[in-house]
Amino acid sequence: AIGIAIGIAIGIAIGMQGQVMGANADAMRALKSLAQGVIDSLPENYVQAIHLAQSRIQVTLVEAMAKFDASMSGKTPSEVACHVALLTLASCWILRILSKALDITIEHGALQSILAVLKRLPIVSGIVRKEKEKIYKKLQGQVHAQRYGSCDVPKFTALPQKAFTFKQVFKTIDAIEGKDMKFSYGKSPLSGAVYFPNAAHADFQTQVYAHFVNTNPLHA
Protein backbone atom coordinates (compact mmCIF):
# COMPACT_ATOMS: atom_id res chain seq x y z
CA ALA A 1 0.00 0.00 0.00
CA ILE A 2 2.86 2.36 0.83
CA GLY A 3 4.53 1.53 -2.49
CA ILE A 4 1.32 2.25 -4.37
CA ALA A 5 0.93 5.59 -2.59
CA ILE A 6 4.52 6.56 -3.36
CA GLY A 7 4.15 5.51 -6.96
CA ILE A 8 0.90 7.44 -7.40
CA ALA A 9 2.35 10.60 -5.85
CA ILE A 10 5.51 10.47 -7.92
CA GLY A 11 3.61 9.57 -11.07
CA ILE A 12 1.22 12.50 -10.67
CA ALA A 13 4.15 14.83 -10.14
CA ILE A 14 5.78 13.53 -13.29
CA GLY A 15 2.59 13.67 -15.31
CA MET A 16 2.11 17.35 -14.41
CA GLN A 17 5.74 18.33 -14.94
CA GLY A 18 4.93 19.90 -18.30
CA GLN A 19 2.53 22.30 -16.58
CA VAL A 20 5.04 23.42 -13.96
CA MET A 21 6.75 26.62 -15.10
CA GLY A 22 10.42 27.17 -14.31
CA ALA A 23 11.06 23.61 -13.06
CA ASN A 24 14.66 22.43 -13.10
CA ALA A 25 15.07 19.95 -15.96
CA ASP A 26 17.83 17.95 -14.29
CA ALA A 27 15.83 17.60 -11.06
CA MET A 28 12.76 16.51 -12.96
CA ARG A 29 14.75 13.90 -14.92
CA ALA A 30 16.22 12.55 -11.68
CA LEU A 31 12.79 12.43 -10.10
CA LYS A 32 11.38 10.65 -13.14
CA SER A 33 14.19 8.11 -13.04
CA LEU A 34 13.64 7.50 -9.33
CA ALA A 35 9.91 7.08 -9.82
CA GLN A 36 10.43 4.70 -12.70
CA GLY A 37 12.82 2.64 -10.58
CA VAL A 38 10.30 2.42 -7.74
CA ILE A 39 7.53 1.41 -10.13
CA ASP A 40 9.70 -1.19 -11.91
CA SER A 41 10.51 -2.86 -8.59
CA LEU A 42 6.83 -3.41 -7.79
CA PRO A 43 4.77 -6.44 -8.84
CA GLU A 44 2.82 -6.17 -12.09
CA ASN A 45 -0.59 -5.91 -10.41
CA TYR A 46 0.71 -3.04 -8.23
CA VAL A 47 2.02 -1.24 -11.32
CA GLN A 48 -1.36 -1.58 -13.02
CA ALA A 49 -3.12 -0.28 -9.91
CA ILE A 50 -0.72 2.68 -9.79
CA HIS A 51 -1.29 3.59 -13.45
CA LEU A 52 -5.07 3.27 -13.03
CA ALA A 53 -5.14 5.42 -9.92
CA GLN A 54 -2.76 7.90 -11.52
CA SER A 55 -4.92 8.31 -14.59
CA ARG A 56 -8.08 8.75 -12.50
CA ILE A 57 -6.48 11.35 -10.26
CA GLN A 58 -5.06 13.23 -13.22
CA VAL A 59 -8.45 13.29 -14.89
CA THR A 60 -10.04 14.56 -11.68
CA LEU A 61 -7.39 17.26 -11.32
CA VAL A 62 -7.75 18.35 -14.93
CA GLU A 63 -11.55 18.56 -14.58
CA ALA A 64 -11.22 20.53 -11.34
CA MET A 65 -8.73 22.92 -12.91
CA ALA A 66 -11.00 23.36 -15.93
CA LYS A 67 -13.96 24.18 -13.70
CA PHE A 68 -11.84 26.62 -11.74
CA ASP A 69 -10.59 28.29 -14.92
CA ALA A 70 -14.17 28.55 -16.19
CA SER A 71 -15.31 30.14 -12.93
CA MET A 72 -12.43 32.63 -13.13
CA SER A 73 -13.02 33.56 -16.78
CA GLY A 74 -13.90 37.18 -17.17
CA LYS A 75 -12.52 38.03 -13.72
CA THR A 76 -10.08 40.87 -13.29
CA PRO A 77 -6.69 40.17 -11.64
CA SER A 78 -7.81 42.00 -8.51
CA GLU A 79 -10.90 39.80 -8.23
CA VAL A 80 -8.78 36.67 -8.63
CA ALA A 81 -6.38 37.94 -5.94
CA CYS A 82 -9.30 38.58 -3.57
CA HIS A 83 -10.70 35.11 -4.17
CA VAL A 84 -7.30 33.55 -3.49
CA ALA A 85 -6.85 35.62 -0.32
CA LEU A 86 -10.28 34.67 1.00
CA LEU A 87 -9.70 31.02 0.18
CA THR A 88 -6.34 31.12 1.97
CA LEU A 89 -7.86 32.72 5.08
CA ALA A 90 -10.70 30.19 5.11
CA SER A 91 -8.25 27.33 4.77
CA CYS A 92 -6.12 28.64 7.65
CA TRP A 93 -9.24 29.04 9.81
CA ILE A 94 -10.38 25.49 9.08
CA LEU A 95 -6.90 24.09 9.74
CA ARG A 96 -6.76 25.98 13.03
CA ILE A 97 -10.08 24.51 14.14
CA LEU A 98 -9.00 21.02 13.13
CA SER A 99 -5.68 21.43 14.95
CA LYS A 100 -7.44 22.61 18.10
CA ALA A 101 -9.91 19.73 17.89
CA LEU A 102 -7.02 17.29 17.51
CA ASP A 103 -5.23 18.74 20.55
CA ILE A 104 -8.40 18.46 22.66
CA THR A 105 -8.96 14.90 21.49
CA ILE A 106 -5.40 13.92 22.37
CA GLU A 107 -5.64 15.60 25.79
CA HIS A 108 -9.09 14.42 26.89
CA GLY A 109 -9.60 11.31 24.78
CA ALA A 110 -11.95 10.62 21.90
CA LEU A 111 -15.00 9.72 24.00
CA GLN A 112 -14.87 12.81 26.20
CA SER A 113 -14.27 15.02 23.16
CA ILE A 114 -17.29 13.54 21.36
CA LEU A 115 -19.46 14.04 24.45
CA ALA A 116 -18.28 17.65 24.76
CA VAL A 117 -19.23 18.31 21.13
CA LEU A 118 -22.63 16.67 21.60
CA LYS A 119 -23.33 18.82 24.66
CA ARG A 120 -22.92 21.91 22.50
CA LEU A 121 -25.72 20.86 20.17
CA PRO A 122 -28.93 22.84 20.86
CA ILE A 123 -31.11 19.75 21.43
CA VAL A 124 -28.60 17.97 23.66
CA SER A 125 -27.69 21.11 25.61
CA GLY A 126 -31.39 21.73 26.25
CA ILE A 127 -31.84 18.21 27.62
CA VAL A 128 -28.76 18.56 29.84
CA ARG A 129 -29.98 21.92 31.15
CA LYS A 130 -33.40 20.49 32.03
CA GLU A 131 -31.84 17.54 33.85
CA LYS A 132 -29.61 19.90 35.82
CA GLU A 133 -32.62 21.99 36.79
CA LYS A 134 -34.43 18.86 37.98
CA ILE A 135 -31.47 17.81 40.12
CA TYR A 136 -31.11 21.33 41.52
CA LYS A 137 -34.78 21.55 42.47
CA LYS A 138 -34.64 18.09 44.05
CA LEU A 139 -31.59 18.97 46.14
CA GLN A 140 -33.07 22.33 47.06
CA GLY A 141 -36.29 20.65 48.18
CA GLN A 142 -34.39 18.10 50.27
CA VAL A 143 -32.29 20.78 51.98
CA HIS A 144 -35.34 22.97 52.56
CA ALA A 145 -37.33 20.07 54.02
CA GLN A 146 -34.46 19.07 56.30
CA ARG A 147 -33.73 22.62 57.47
CA TYR A 148 -37.20 24.14 57.61
CA GLY A 149 -39.58 21.19 57.32
CA SER A 150 -40.40 20.99 61.02
CA CYS A 151 -39.56 24.59 61.86
CA ASP A 152 -42.09 27.38 62.33
CA VAL A 153 -39.67 29.90 60.86
CA PRO A 154 -40.12 30.42 57.11
CA LYS A 155 -37.17 30.46 54.74
CA PHE A 156 -36.03 34.03 54.13
CA THR A 157 -35.28 34.73 50.49
CA ALA A 158 -35.68 38.52 50.81
CA LEU A 159 -35.77 41.18 53.48
CA PRO A 160 -39.09 41.37 55.39
CA GLN A 161 -41.46 44.12 54.35
CA LYS A 162 -41.58 45.26 57.97
CA ALA A 163 -38.42 45.43 60.06
CA PHE A 164 -38.09 42.91 62.90
CA THR A 165 -37.72 44.08 66.46
CA PHE A 166 -34.75 42.81 68.46
CA LYS A 167 -37.10 40.46 70.27
CA GLN A 168 -38.42 39.01 66.99
CA VAL A 169 -34.86 38.55 65.69
CA PHE A 170 -33.80 36.59 68.77
CA LYS A 171 -37.00 34.55 68.69
CA THR A 172 -36.35 33.66 65.05
CA ILE A 173 -32.73 32.74 65.79
CA ASP A 174 -33.76 30.57 68.72
CA ALA A 175 -36.30 28.75 66.54
CA ILE A 176 -33.72 28.07 63.83
CA GLU A 177 -31.07 27.10 66.36
CA GLY A 178 -33.47 24.62 67.91
CA LYS A 179 -32.86 22.24 65.00
CA ASP A 180 -29.08 22.34 65.40
CA MET A 181 -26.96 20.10 67.58
CA LYS A 182 -26.69 21.52 71.06
CA PHE A 183 -23.21 22.52 72.16
CA SER A 184 -22.30 22.07 75.78
CA TYR A 185 -18.86 22.96 77.16
CA GLY A 186 -17.09 19.85 78.37
CA LYS A 187 -19.83 17.50 77.17
CA SER A 188 -20.25 18.14 73.45
CA PRO A 189 -18.52 15.77 70.99
CA LEU A 190 -17.64 18.78 68.83
CA SER A 191 -13.99 19.77 68.96
CA GLY A 192 -11.41 21.94 67.27
CA ALA A 193 -10.29 25.58 67.25
CA VAL A 194 -13.82 26.85 66.58
CA TYR A 195 -15.42 24.75 69.33
CA PHE A 196 -12.97 25.56 72.13
CA PRO A 197 -14.25 23.71 75.26
CA ASN A 198 -14.05 26.67 77.64
CA ALA A 199 -16.97 28.96 78.47
CA ALA A 200 -14.73 31.67 79.91
CA HIS A 201 -12.69 31.77 76.72
CA ALA A 202 -15.89 32.00 74.65
CA ASP A 203 -17.01 35.03 76.70
CA PHE A 204 -13.55 36.56 76.19
CA GLN A 205 -13.86 36.07 72.40
CA THR A 206 -17.30 37.68 72.42
CA GLN A 207 -15.94 40.76 74.17
CA VAL A 208 -13.05 40.98 71.69
CA TYR A 209 -15.43 40.71 68.72
CA ALA A 210 -17.54 43.51 70.17
CA HIS A 211 -14.62 45.94 69.87
CA PHE A 212 -14.43 45.35 66.10
CA VAL A 213 -18.11 45.05 65.21
CA ASN A 214 -17.92 48.14 62.95
CA THR A 215 -14.78 47.11 61.06
CA ASN A 216 -14.52 45.46 57.67
CA PRO A 217 -11.85 42.71 57.60
CA LEU A 218 -11.89 42.79 53.78
CA HIS A 219 -10.43 46.32 53.88
CA ALA A 220 -7.95 45.65 56.67
Side-chain angles (χ1 to χ4, degrees):
I2 296 176
I4 292 177
I6 295 174
I8 291 174
I10 296 175
I12 291 173
I14 295 172
M16 297 181 66
Q17 62 179 339
Q19 301 178 19
V20 178
M21 303 302 297
N24 187 288
D26 293 335
M28 294 303 298
R29 281 195 295 269
L31 182 60
K32 183 176 181 180
S33 177
L34 175 62
Q36 191 62 43
V38 172
I39 294 175
D40 292 341
S41 64
L42 296 175
E44 182 65 25
N45 57 338
Y46 279 27
V47 175
Q48 293 178 357
I50 288 174
H51 289 314
L52 178 61
Q54 176 185 343
S55 61
R56 289 180 178 176
I57 293 176
Q58 284 183 341
V59 169
T60 303
L61 289 176
V62 170
E63 291 178 352
M65 292 174 65
K67 290 180 180 179
F68 180 77
D69 291 339
S71 65
M72 290 292 103
S73 61
K75 302 289 185 182
T76 62
S78 60
E79 290 178 325
V80 174
C82 289
H83 279 88
V84 172
L86 291 174
L87 182 60
T88 303
L89 291 175
S91 301
C92 293
W93 180 70
I94 293 173
L95 289 175
R96 182 181 179 183
I97 293 177
L98 293 176
S99 176
K100 186 176 181 181
L102 180 61
D103 292 339
I104 294 174
T105 303
I106 295 174
E107 181 179 357
H108 300 287
L111 180 59
Q112 292 297 328
S113 301
I114 293 173
L115 291 176
V117 172
L118 291 176
K119 288 180 181 179
R120 294 179 180 272
L121 298 177
I123 297 177
V124 179
S125 63
I127 295 174
V128 173
R129 184 177 63 255
K130 290 180 180 179
E131 291 299 321
K132 286 183 177 180
E133 290 176 355
K134 289 180 182 178
I135 295 174
Y136 173 76
K137 290 180 180 179
K138 182 178 179 180
L139 293 175
Q140 188 180 40
Q142 291 176 349
V143 173
H144 185 275
Q146 183 179 1
R147 190 74 176 88
Y148 301 97
S150 58
C151 182
D152 296 333
V153 180
K155 181 180 179 181
F156 294 101
T157 58
L159 293 174
Q161 293 293 330
K162 184 179 179 181
F164 278 17
T165 63
F166 289 169
K167 185 177 181 180
Q168 288 175 314
V169 171
F170 282 114
K171 183 179 179 181
T172 303
I173 292 175
D174 290 339
I176 296 176
E177 188 184 18
K179 291 184 62 62
D180 295 336
M181 179 182 292
K182 300 298 181 182
F183 180 78
S184 177
Y185 292 104
K187 298 179 180 180
S188 176
L190 299 175
S191 63
V194 178
Y195 309 104
F196 192 77
N198 189 301
H201 185 73
D203 293 337
F204 167 72
Q205 287 179 317
T206 302
Q207 294 177 30
V208 172
Y209 295 156
H211 285 280
F212 301 95
V213 69
N214 292 321
T215 62
N216 188 344
L218 296 177
H219 296 167

